[in-house]
Amino acid sequence: EYRRQRQMCIRDRLNDGENINIAGLGTFRIGDRKARKGIKPRTGEIIEIAPRRVVTFKPSPSLKNLVNDKTSK
């Protein structure tokens, strides 16, 4: 129940246009993708891909350093 409430709170804040910053982890934000053309792999048909909203994540410098630290294995 707590996990679901937390997810709903994050979803609501993102939908309101707010960024979610979690110290030591990174920042979640909403981005917009424009409509674009794509190709169906099976048929080769050119299709229109609709615009949509996506969640993007930018890791914090401390998370990047932790992941890239090769001496901590």
Side-chain angles (χ1 to χ4, degrees), residues 3-62:
R3 183 177 173 185
R4 181 178 163 88
Q5 288 177 343
R6 183 178 55 191
Q7 288 173 337
M8 289 174 62
C9 179
I10 290 172
R11 181 201 63 199
D12 292 343
R13 287 183 62 192
L14 287 170
N15 280 332
D16 289 341
E18 296 180 46
N19 295 336
I20 307 292
N21 185 18
I22 302 173
L25 184 65
T27 303
F28 293 91
R29 63 182 59 148
I30 291 288
D32 292 314
R33 291 227 173 147
K34 296 179 183 179
R36 61 193 193 279
K37 297 201 183 300
I39 299 175
K40 282 188 176 180
R42 182 171 287 175
T43 63
E45 175 187 0
I46 296 176
I47 59 171
E48 181 75 18
I49 300 172
R52 62 186 177 139
R53 297 174 75 196
V54 295
V55 176
T56 61
F57 176 73
K58 180 178 179 185
S60 69
S62 59

